[in-house]
Each structure stands twice: as C-alpha cells, then as structure tokens.
Amino acid sequence: MTKGNVKPQIRFSGFHEVWEQRKLTEFVEFFSGLTYTPNDVQDDGTLVLRSSNVSNGEIVNADNVYVNPQVVNSENVKVGDIIVVVRNGSRSLIGKHAQIKAFMPDTVIGAFMTGIRSECPEFTNALLNTPKFEDEIAMNMGATINQITGYMFSKMEFKVPCLDEQKKIGEYFSNLDHLITLHQRKYEKLTKVKKSMLEKMFPQDGSNVPEIRFKGFTDAWEKRKLGDITESYSGGTPTAGKKEYYDGDIPFIRSGEISSDKTELFLSEDGLDNSSAKMVKIGDILYALYGATSGEVSISKLDGAINQAILAIKPYPNYDSQFLMQWLRKSKETIIGTYLQGGQGNLSGNIVKELLVDMPTYSEQKKIGDYFEQLDRLITLHQRKLEKLQNIKKSMLEKMFV
C-alpha cells in the first residue's frame, strides 16, 4: 500500500468512496483514569483496570486492584469503551489496548490508562490494531518517558471511511476477534488440563502410585534409572568451514527445533560422514542439553541428524517412548532446579542417564503415553487454528485499512 492510497486493497461490496484523512480527536472522545494511593486499596470495592488487565486484546482478571468507592472521582467504563495503556515502564506495552465487551459495574481505569469512546467502537478498536497506529505511537511517544499524552493523541491522523463502511469493517473484525478468543481459550484450557494430568497421572514424591490411573491397573510403580532402560547419545557439528556439507537433504536438527517438523539446515551425505553429527529416527526422544532450551523434550518428527546440544534417547523393549518423553516433560522444572544453578548452565548425558523414573507396567505406560499423545495432537490442532486466524487478522488489517 503506497503512501498516497485513499482506498483499501480489500473492501466490502457497495463502497467506492475514498477514505478521508482525519485527526483521531475528530471521531473519538477520551476520558481519563483514576489516581489513587496505596491507602485507597482494599480487598473489594471498585475495580481499577490497569495494564495487567489487558492481554491479547481482551480484558482479563490478573493482579486485580480494588479501591474504596468513596475515593473514585472518574467515570465507570461502558460497553464499547476501548482502554489503552498510555504510560508504563516497558515501552513495548504503550498502546496495548482492549475493548470493554460486557457490562462491568463499579469499574474504572487507572491513571496510566486512557479511555476512548467513538460512534463505531469496533472499527476504532480494529484501527488501533493496525501498523499505522504503531507508527503513530512511535512518532509521538516521549523520548525519555514511556507515555502518550492527550496532546500526542491529538496529533495522530488516520484515513477513515464513511460510518456505514466503518460499521461493516468493525463487525468483520469483531467476529474475527471472537473466533480468535474462542480458540485461544480452548488452547489455554487444554494446556491447563495437560499440566494438571501430568501431575496427577504420575506419582508424587514419596508415593509409588499416581492419583489418577486407568481402570484395571493397581500395581505399584517402580523406580528405574533412565540409563538402565534406554540407550542414548548426543551428536556433533559438521566440519567447520565446509558450507557445502549443508547442501543436502538430511535435516540437521538443533536444540531450538526440537519440537518442530522443519529445520533450516540440511546436510549432504558427505557432511554427515565427515562429522560427529549422529542420525535419529522418527519416534526417537530428543532431549535438549544446552542453553536456554535445556530440559525441552519431544518425540522426533524427522529422520535427521542431531548436534551436540541434543541427547537422543531410544527406549529398550517394553519401555514406551511417549511415556518416557511425557515423564521428562513433567519433570523439567525439578531436573533444572536440581542440576542447573539458577537455571543457568548445561545438562549432560550422564546426568540424564542417572535420572530415576517412576515406571508402571508396559501396558500402563502405553495407555498413559497414548492418552498424552492424543492430548498433544488436540492442543497442536487448536494452536494451529489460532495461529491461522491470527495470520488472517494481521493480513486483513493491512489490506482493509489505508
């Protein structure tokens, strides 16, 4: 979209007029937030919305603050209002916003927020999601203090269509936001279910049976050293300086790609034969040993080669890969906390081999492994749907606005 364009690339049928350049203050009204002191805060009363209450374009309950209603001298939020973060210690949070979509009695905004009202709030909310609004923030934000003032807002200009077209655009993005929120909540709910079940379907410290297990299984679980029930090895790096070794069709899996079915580098057979890189097969357990990804674990989705930052783990017969991978995933925080000071440093193959795993019978392992594999697939499905909708929104914000 070139700077001189006065029509969007995509628009609804029946609209042909050019969009007009208008100051933001010409089509919205602002209202200020409440200034309060620590002495005004109490366990209940009037809710004060702050930056922590804005997440992914939605109003959320997070670190809620309530104040004595008697000190409130600012107006209550209304359905349709858009609340914007205008001052914050983090520069990246300036401009973060959300629309009030349900009646919220006894609720105001904080002093570091600004409220916006307009005749077509859904359109205005979508407008504030566009790159153009980000550009306006960057041009007008203070150089030393992370804030947007009323004067800065007054200098912002946008191209806008007639009111009827605004309503059409607003309705479209409102429906799209609803779908995104729906999949976001489903995804978050499933991840919480998984976290809970990882705790309940494996024994807690001091116990040899889990809180929840499949019908028909009653035997106590037994501890096994991971090194006694699996074989494992780490890889290496193709010969330094030999860029031609990367010109091939063998995926070179690195620790940052442990959960992916795609890689950026591909080795030639010469690159593999002349290096310490090692091959893994689809279904092998990949465990990250080094750096920020230490403790990350997944089942390999590729036949490929691994570097020294990854430990490949292959269970012996009668030990299930999915079960062991989920145990390692569930135990990540404990392992990191035990072997890495402050989360810094690297794990090693020897450390991993000495880990004591709570093991049920092979049949119960399979049941548990299959259950979490299906749950992972469902989580991935909603995650991909969510990412697809977010990409659609990003594209349409660029093509439906000028």
Side-chain angles (χ1 to χ4, degrees):
M1 191 79 60
T2 60
K3 188 174 181 179
N5 281 344
V6 290
K7 294 181 180 180
Q9 184 177 341
I10 295 177
R11 67 197 307 190
F12 289 99
S13 176
F15 297 102
H16 309 287
E17 298 85 355
V18 298
W19 289 32
E20 296 182 356
Q21 184 87 0
R22 297 178 65 185
K23 289 184 176 295
L24 181 62
T25 51
E26 292 179 13
F27 59 95
V28 307
E29 297 178 354
F30 297 92
F31 61 94
S32 301
L34 172 70
T35 299
Y36 59 92
T37 70
N39 291 333
D40 300 325
V41 177
Q42 54 188 41
D43 292 337
D44 56 17
T46 299
L47 173 63
V48 182
L49 296 175
R50 305 174 301 147
S51 62
S52 59
N53 297 113
V54 179
S55 177
N56 296 318
E58 296 290 326
I59 304 296
V60 298
N61 288 315
D63 194 22
N64 286 359
V65 165
Y66 298 89
V67 298
N68 186 337
Q70 294 182 354
V71 305
V72 175
N73 56 9
S74 58
E75 56 186 307
N76 202 92
V77 296
K78 300 177 181 179
V79 175
D81 287 350
I82 301 163
I83 64 171
V84 186
V85 179
V86 293
R87 185 167 181 172
N88 195 279
S90 174
R91 201 173 185 87
S92 63
L93 295 181
I94 304 300
K96 186 173 76 165
H97 60 278
Q99 187 178 0
I100 306 295
K101 297 179 179 178
F103 177 55
M104 300 183 71
D106 299 320
T107 304
V108 298
I109 60 175
F112 289 178
M113 311 288 288
T114 283
I116 295 178
R117 287 181 183 146
S118 65
E119 190 170 359
C120 189
E122 288 76 18
F123 172 83
T124 303
N125 189 56
L127 179 66
L128 300 189
N129 285 322
T130 63
K132 173 62 175 171
F133 181 57
E134 294 177 3
D135 293 342
E136 289 289 332
I137 290 175
M139 286 190 297
N140 290 288
M141 188 159 54
T144 57
I145 302 176
N146 300 334
Q147 70 173 348
I148 310 174
T149 65
Y151 173 70
M152 294 170 185
F153 272 124
S154 72
K155 294 196 297 181
M156 294 184 181
E157 294 186 356
F158 300 91
K159 288 185 173 69
V160 296
C162 67
L163 185 59
D164 286 342
E165 191 169 2
Q166 287 183 40
K167 290 178 179 178
K168 278 283 189 180
I169 295 170
E171 181 182 12
Y172 171 82
F173 281 102
S174 179
N175 290 335
L176 189 55
D177 283 341
H178 177 72
L179 278 176
I180 290 173
T181 299
L182 187 65
H183 282 288
Q184 180 75 41
R185 289 175 179 169
K186 286 182 177 179
Y187 170 74
E188 290 173 352
K189 183 177 180 179
L190 285 169
T191 55
K192 288 179 180 177
V193 168
K194 181 179 179 183
K195 181 178 180 181
S196 174
M197 296 306 285
L198 281 172
E199 292 297 322
K200 294 179 180 180
M201 293 185 73
F202 290 87
Q204 298 296 309
D205 291 342
S207 176
N208 59 6
V209 293
E211 180 181 343
I212 294 177
R213 64 197 310 189
F214 289 100
K215 186 177 180 180
F217 296 103
T218 57
D219 293 341
W221 292 29
E222 299 180 357
K223 291 190 179 296
R224 296 280 187 273
K225 279 188 181 181
L226 191 62
D228 291 340
I229 60 176
T230 65
E231 64 171 313
S232 59
Y233 54 84
S234 58
T237 304
T239 307
K242 298 291 185 179
K243 292 184 179 180
E244 63 269 22
Y245 289 160
Y246 290 111
D247 184 17
D249 57 6
I250 301 172
F252 185 42
I253 307 167
R254 294 161 295 174
S255 57
E257 299 160 338
I258 236 175
S259 300
S260 176
D261 55 2
K262 297 180 181 179
T263 61
E264 297 177 1
L265 296 179
F266 292 83
L267 299 178
S268 66
E269 290 186 8
D270 287 343
L272 183 62
D273 292 342
N274 290 278
S275 77
S276 55
K278 297 291 192 301
M279 288 295 296
V280 294
K281 297 289 186 181
I282 293 173
D284 289 347
I285 300 171
L286 303 183
Y287 192 79
L289 299 173
Y290 293 176
T293 59
S294 292
E296 291 292 327
V297 60
S298 185
I299 298 291
S300 180
K301 300 175 183 177
L302 301 167
D303 290 340
I306 57 172
N307 67 6
Q308 69 276 13
I310 296 175
L311 186 72
I313 302 173
K314 297 174 179 284
Y316 293 143
N318 293 324
Y319 295 98
D320 183 64
S321 294
Q322 273 288 339
F323 174 88
L324 288 172
M325 187 273 290
Q326 298 292 350
W327 182 88
L328 286 166
R329 185 171 285 171
K330 172 252 180 189
S331 305
K332 177 184 175 182
E333 291 184 8
T334 300
I335 295 169
I336 296 298
T338 302
Y339 296 101
L340 301 184
Q341 293 185 351
Q344 301 298 313
N346 302 320
L347 297 170
S348 69
N350 287 335
I351 288 174
V352 177
K353 290 176 185 179
E354 291 297 313
L355 295 174
L356 290 175
V357 186
D358 297 299
M359 298 298 302
T361 63
Y362 180 66
S363 297
E364 191 169 3
Q365 290 175 46
K366 284 291 295 179
K367 279 280 191 179
I368 294 170
D370 290 346
Y371 168 80
F372 282 108
E373 184 177 14
Q374 292 177 22
L375 190 55
D376 281 341
R377 287 175 179 169
L378 196 56
I379 290 171
T380 299
L381 178 66
H382 282 290
Q383 184 179 28
R384 288 176 177 170
K385 285 183 178 180
L386 177 61
E387 290 171 351
K388 183 177 181 179
L389 286 168
Q390 289 170 333
N391 288 334
I392 289 172
K393 180 179 177 180
K394 180 180 179 181
S395 176
M396 297 307 282
L397 284 169
E398 293 174 351
K399 294 177 180 179
M400 294 182 69
F401 285 83
V402 179

